[in-house]
Amino acid sequence: MKRRTVLKYTAASFAAVAAPSIARTAGPLKELRLDYAYYSPGSLVLRRFGWLEEAFRPSGTEVKWVLSAGSNRALEYLNGNSIDIGSSAGLAALLARANGNPIRAPYIFSRPEWTALVVRKDSPIRSVKDLKGKKVAATKGTDPYLFLLRALQQAGLKRGDIEHVALQHADGRVALEQGRVDAWAGLDPHMAASELEGGSRLLYRNVAFNTYGFLNVREEFLAQRPEETARVLAAYERARRWIQANPTEAAKILAEEAKVSLQVAILQVKLRSDFSHPQPDAEHINALRQAAPILVAENLVRPGTDVNRAIAELVDTRFARKLTAA
C-alpha cells in the first residue's frame, strides 16, 4: 500500500471512531491548544512541517503550540485547561488521573527508553544500593522520578533513604555535572547529552521501568470534540510514519529544536525510541498495572484510590479497536 494511501486510510479510520453516543458541540473550533516536547519527536515533526495547521485550516482553527519541559508541566497545563492535548509518560499520566486530573490517553507516541539513573564518570557509586544517604535529582510527577522510586524499591530502599532534590530535567543534568548532587534520574535528550558530552555514566537501566509516551486529551475536549481529536491523532500518525521512514531527518529536527548535537539526537531517536505500536491496548494497560503499586507504596495517591479503575479511565482503546476492526 502506498504511503499516501496509508495516511489517507489512517485519517479516515481515526475520524470514523467518533461514536454517535459521544456529545458534540456545535460550531467550529476556534483554537486548538497542544504541547510540543523534546521527549516527543512526533510533536516536533508536526510543528516543523505544519501538518496540523494544514489539517485545521479548512475549519479556520488556529493551532497554538506550548512547550512542555517535562511530563509534570504537560499534565499541569492539561489540569489547568491551558492546553487541550499534551504528551507525558504513561505512569505520570496515571498518577495525574488517579489524583483527579480528568484526562484520557487515546494514542501512544513512542515506546522509549528515555530515563535511567545517572552518575558522574568519576563517581564511586556502583549500584542503586549505594545511593543510600546520597543526593539524587529528579523531577517530581515524571517518569524519571517514578523510575527512581521503582529502582530504589527493587534495591530494597525507600524514598526516605535518599535525599531527593527536586529539579526540572535540564537543571538536574547541570547539578549532576557540577557535583551538587550525587545522582540524577535523567531524561533524554538531556541524559544522552550528559552521557556523550559530559562523560556521565548510566548507573541503572531498565527498559521495563520506562513507561510509554502517552498523548493525553482533556476528557471534556475528547467528549465534545471527537472529530477534532481524531484529526490530531491522524496527524500524529502521519508524523510517526515519517519518523520511521526518516529517522536521521527526525533526529536533525530534534537536534535543532532542543539545541543538542546530532549524535545526541540520533541516540534518542534511533537507539532509544520505538515508534512501532501507537494504539493503546492490553500491552499498555498491563504495563501500568505492573507499575501502579509504586504509587500506592509511596503514598503518591490518596488512601483508598482504586488505581485499576484509574487505569481503565485513562487508557482509551476505542481508536485502537476501530483501526483493528477496519
Side-chain angles (χ1 to χ4, degrees), residues 31-40 43-44 47 52-53 63-70 73-78 81-87 236:
E31 184 178 64
L32 171 69
R33 307 164 303 166
L34 69 165
D35 79 338
Y36 67 102
Y38 304 144
Y39 53 84
S40 173
S43 68
L44 303 181
R47 188 166 173 265
L52 269 177
E53 288 82 354
V63 177
K64 178 183 178 181
W65 293 97
V66 177
L67 175 64
S68 288
R73 292 288 183 257
L75 293 164
E76 286 169 8
Y77 298 153
L78 286 163
N81 194 17
S82 297
I83 60 174
D84 305 302
I85 299 173
S87 49
Y236 260 90

Side-chain angles (χ1 to χ4, degrees), residues 160-241:
D161 290 324
I162 64 163
E163 182 180 344
H164 170 235
V165 180
L167 294 171
Q168 201 62 41
H169 301 299
D171 298 328
R173 175 196 173 185
V174 174
L176 176 73
E177 294 179 356
Q178 291 182 347
R180 292 187 282 114
V181 296
D182 302 293
W184 166 51
L187 180 74
D188 277 341
H190 309 292
M191 183 173 72
S194 187
E195 185 182 1
L196 294 182
E197 298 168 0
S200 297
R201 174 166 51 88
L202 302 188
L203 172 70
Y204 178 72
R205 300 173 68 175
N206 188 337
V207 69
F209 282 5
N210 285 251
T211 54
Y212 299 78
F214 277 32
L215 191 67
N216 308 297
V217 184
R218 286 192 307 109
E219 199 164 37
E220 180 183 20
F221 184 89
L222 184 61
Q224 295 179 347
R225 299 284 183 178
E227 286 91 355
E228 287 87 347
T229 300
R231 214 179 306 171
V232 172
L233 301 192
Y236 260 90
E237 180 66 3
R238 181 180 181 183
R240 182 188 72 86
R241 292 177 182 275

Side-chain angles (χ1 to χ4, degrees), residues 11-319:
S13 298
F14 275 131
V17 105
S21 59
I22 297 178
R24 293 171 174 77
T25 57
L29 178 66
K30 293 182 179 180
E31 184 178 64
L32 171 69
R33 307 164 303 166
L34 69 165
D35 79 338
Y36 67 102
Y38 304 144
Y39 53 84
S40 173
S43 68
L44 303 181
V45 169
L46 281 177
R47 188 166 173 265
R48 173 64 61 91
F49 292 135
W51 289 338
L52 269 177
E53 288 82 354
E54 174 187 309
F56 281 89
R57 190 170 296 120
S59 59
T61 302
E62 294 291 328
V63 177
K64 178 183 178 181
W65 293 97
V66 177
L67 175 64
S68 288
S71 293
N72 61 324
R73 292 288 183 257
L75 293 164
E76 286 169 8
Y77 298 153
L78 286 163
N79 198 38
N81 194 17
S82 297
I83 60 174
D84 305 302
I85 299 173
S87 49
S88 77
L91 189 54
L94 173 60
L95 174 60
R97 175 79 204 199
N99 284 326
N101 194 337
I103 56 173
R104 295 182 70 85
Y107 192 81
I108 306 297
F109 62 81
S110 72
R111 170 62 162 118
E113 185 189 4
W114 52 18
T115 186
L117 299 186
V118 190
V119 294
R120 292 183 300 280
K121 59 183 176 182
D122 58 351
S123 173
I125 297 172
R126 295 295 168 184
S127 71
V128 177
K129 289 185 177 181
D130 294 338
L131 293 177
K132 187 172 183 178
K134 300 294 193 295
K135 293 182 178 180
V136 184
T139 309
K140 291 192 72 172
T142 68
D143 223 29
Y145 178 69
L146 298 169
F147 180 96
L148 167 64
L149 297 184
R150 296 178 77 186
L152 291 173
Q153 184 184 62
Q154 183 167 274
L157 301 176
K158 296 181 179 180
R159 179 172 45 170
D161 290 324
I162 64 163
E163 182 180 344
H164 170 235
V165 180
L167 294 171
Q168 201 62 41
H169 301 299
D171 298 328
R173 175 196 173 185
V174 174
L176 176 73
E177 294 179 356
Q178 291 182 347
R180 292 187 282 114
V181 296
D182 302 293
W184 166 51
L187 180 74
D188 277 341
H190 309 292
M191 183 173 72
S194 187
E195 185 182 1
L196 294 182
E197 298 168 0
S200 297
R201 174 166 51 88
L202 302 188
L203 172 70
Y204 178 72
R205 300 173 68 175
N206 188 337
V207 69
F209 282 5
N210 285 251
T211 54
Y212 299 78
F214 277 32
L215 191 67
N216 308 297
V217 184
R218 286 192 307 109
E219 199 164 37
E220 180 183 20
F221 184 89
L222 184 61
Q224 295 179 347
R225 299 284 183 178
E227 286 91 355
E228 287 87 347
T229 300
R231 214 179 306 171
V232 172
L233 301 192
Y236 260 90
E237 180 66 3
R238 181 180 181 183
R240 182 188 72 86
R241 292 177 182 275
W242 187 88
I243 293 171
Q244 286 185 306
N246 305 277
T248 301
E249 293 303 311
K252 288 179 180 178
I253 293 173
L254 171 62
E256 293 170 8
E257 292 288 334
K259 295 179 174 55
V260 297
S261 70
L262 181 58
Q263 291 75 17
V264 166
I266 286 175
L267 176 57
Q268 177 181 341
V269 174
K270 298 182 71 172
L271 301 180
R272 290 183 180 166
S273 298
D274 179 0
F275 299 96
S276 65
H277 194 170
Q279 290 85 28
D281 60 17
E283 175 182 329
H284 309 102
I285 292 172
N286 290 335
L288 290 180
R289 284 177 177 166
Q290 291 175 17
I294 194 68
L295 305 182
V296 177
E298 293 290 343
N299 299 313
L300 298 177
V301 295
R302 292 184 293 271
T305 297
D306 187 340
V307 180
N308 285 329
R309 179 178 178 179
I311 293 172
E313 291 172 342
L314 173 67
V315 181
D316 190 335
T317 62
R318 292 173 300 164
F319 294 86

